[in-house]
Amino acid sequence: CTSLHVAPKTLIGGARLRMSITMITAICVSLGMLLFMYVMLMGDSDFHQNGIIGYLFRSLNGLLDFFQSDRFHNMVRRVVGNSCLERILRVQDYICYQNNPIMPAMYVSFVVIGFWVFARFAFPYLPFESDKPWGISYYHKVNAFLLVGACAYIFYLCLVMDAGVIDDANIREEIHRYPYDGVIYDGKKDCWTCKIPRPARSKHCSTCNRCVSRFDHHCPWIRNCVGGKNLRLFLSFLGIHAFLCSYGAILIFYILRAIVLEQELYVKFVRDRTTGELKAVTHKIVLRWLIHLHGPLLGLGFALAMIGLVLWGFLAYHLWLVYKNTTTNETFKWKDLTRDIKHKHKKRQQALAAAAEEEAEAEAEGKRKGGKKDKEGEEGALTLKEQLAKCVNIYDRGFVKNFSEMMFPRKLPPAPPPAVPQAEAEAARAAGKKAGKEKKRK
């Protein structure tokens, strides 16, 4: 057994202390971002609505609403002036509500910086003691280039591929693609912006300023909508990036493990500078040693693990949507509809309870009004059941057909031409015959 050259007390002094603080800050920021994303995505669900996550969701939305309110704008105007406030609002509108390249540029930056850190600090260990049971083989270096290249290629396809834009040229085909369910799609609304009928399952994207067939959501990372034509590509985008992050995190873990085993840290001792006592190396000391000597690699591994966890969650959610043959947009529509039905039912029950109290008071005074309580209560409960029974997704045809529809979207035949009145049809035929005779005469 030998003594480790870095003692526990010296590991947390000077530059090592700054490195530790940086690592702890990165971990806290990553966990905070995960919590924020979970609150914003799941805080409005029925499971979390009345709990602490729901409270945080409502508080954050209230804070965001306050930043958008006239009261906050007036406060800023008093401090910086009207012209500066207008510039701030223009920048805010460009960042939040316009189809800008900021998020794609951030994606490219993250990929370039992450791959540079991996190549700078991990490539020297590929291969590393490949003849040992815990060694790292050389082919992981080739896999890194292949996976990053595949991610970049799919990202480019997501940027340029049509999501299913609806215009005057294909509106008649898109209207026949999905039937109207009469609940969340009634076929009575037109798109005020595009001036065309709104097909079932479509939506006008305010960011892209166009109507999209089978609209799911607008993804700022790919600067494009997710619709009926590029859903498969978007799932591939999520899957390949989730696999890349998981693969990189696991590979970094094995590299760090191989470094620890090659240095034989767990059979060494450290000397306490205060007492002079020799102590066996523990996991805590090994972690400090790794932070000191391999901090960038350890930080990259942790970041990849967190991002991979988020991406796997997104992928699972969208696969569940495919399983149900629904979209993110429709999920919010169904949620709002069922909540509205339940809210109206609750108000009706409160009204019935108030009427029952009045009836009881009238009976106590000898003024009997008749027994409508049970009948109205039964009708109210029956009405609620009937209304909730209408909230059925008619597009859900089973997992096999739903998956086939996503993987192999059906190509509709050309829509029949619009009906022409009889007088116009006869005039068109007469004009055609006249043109044919003139052509023969010439």
Side-chain angles (χ1 to χ4, degrees), residues 12-25:
I12 57 173
R16 299 174 182 83
L17 178 60
R18 290 193 295 271
M19 182 68 71
S20 301
I21 293 176
T22 302
M23 286 294 300
I24 294 173
T25 303

Side-chain angles (χ1 to χ4, degrees), residues 362-430:
E363 289 180 356
E365 296 176 358
K367 300 177 181 179
R368 188 178 181 85
K369 295 184 178 181
K372 295 183 180 180
K373 175 183 176 182
D374 294 339
K375 183 177 179 181
E376 289 182 353
E378 291 176 1
E379 289 179 354
L382 183 62
T383 303
L384 176 65
K385 293 179 181 179
E386 290 177 350
Q387 290 179 343
L388 290 178
K390 293 180 180 179
C391 299
V392 178
N393 182 16
I394 66 172
Y395 310 111
D396 184 3
R397 302 180 297 161
F399 172 71
V400 177
K401 291 184 178 180
N402 294 342
F403 187 78
S404 300
E405 180 182 330
M406 185 273 296
M407 292 297 297
F408 311 102
R410 52 178 178 169
K411 295 182 179 180
L412 298 178
V420 181
Q422 184 68 21
E424 294 182 5
E426 292 178 356
R429 284 195 293 269

